[in-house]
Amino acid sequence: MAEDKNLQNKHKIPSLLIILLISMILFVCVCLFLHVSPFRLIGAAFCHQISSRSPDFHFPFCYRCAGLFSGVFCGLAASMIWNYDKKLLPTKSICFFAFSLLLFITDILNSSKFPMIHLYPERVNFRFLSAFPLGFSLSRIIMQIFQYWFHIKNAFQINNSIIKLISFVLFAVLSYVLIFSHVELLSVISEILLSIGCIVFLSLLYMILVFCISLLRNKQANKTSAMLAALSLAFFHITFFGWIHIRYLHFEQLFS
């Protein structure tokens, strides 16, 4: 019975590879059709991309989204070296997420047009820094679920809270320098890292969804098949929503 399942999974992989290739080709074709860079299309699937609220060099993310997805990328990196918690959702992770969400919402309200809500001067630095912890905590929670379900162990097992805090601060400082340096090379590097963070984070969400659907159907999804399906869905998702945004939605006019 197990051999039959393995054989079926092996037959599925070539088909899924073809679907993944189609999704990537479609992504490239839409970039060519819209005359935009891959980074611009990826960013358009998640961010309003209003130039007045974004860094220089036609950056594909606004300051707040840059902070959010910098946190996502750094959270993914931290999950590779920090210790794996045996609990599905540790109390520390939930508390950090709650604090991060409160900070994120506070800065959104502070920069809104409500006259009664103005706690501190509105600055793009605060937009970036208020979003970074939320992206980091979200990424850590998703990776915790992923590692818990799939029994993945890290090569490194950093467990010291002080070292974790220091590494978090270093991640934030490095991300801040990349975004606010106003150096074109560093800007391109940050575009690459943020785009990788978007694709990986979205793929992990879809991979977890694939496994949930398999469990509801009383089946066990193969990890490789689930990964290929998740990557394909992520590229289709980014291509479709990025195209809709760039082709039909003009946020500059809406928020001007």
Side-chain angles (χ1 to χ4, degrees), residues 101-146:
L101 183 61
L102 179 62
L103 181 65
F104 184 75
I105 293 174
T106 299
D107 190 69
I108 289 177
L109 292 174
N110 184 72
S111 59
S112 66
K113 301 301 180 182
F114 296 109
M116 300 298 294
I117 304 176
H118 191 69
L119 305 175
Y120 50 85
E122 182 185 351
R123 293 180 181 175
V124 293
N125 312 65
F126 295 159
R127 289 189 178 196
F128 178 89
L129 294 173
S130 66
F132 182 89
L134 180 61
F136 192 93
S137 61
L138 273 172
S139 187
R140 284 283 296 150
I141 288 174
I142 294 300
M143 282 300 295
Q144 180 67 30
I145 295 172
F146 188 79

Side-chain angles (χ1 to χ4, degrees), residues 48-78:
H48 56 57
Q49 296 183 329
I50 296 177
S51 57
S52 60
R53 303 182 187 182
S54 305
D56 297 332
F57 309 116
H58 307 288
F59 203 74
F61 296 89
C62 69
Y63 284 106
R64 184 169 284 126
C65 288
L68 185 68
F69 286 105
S70 291
V72 165
F73 180 85
C74 292
L76 292 171

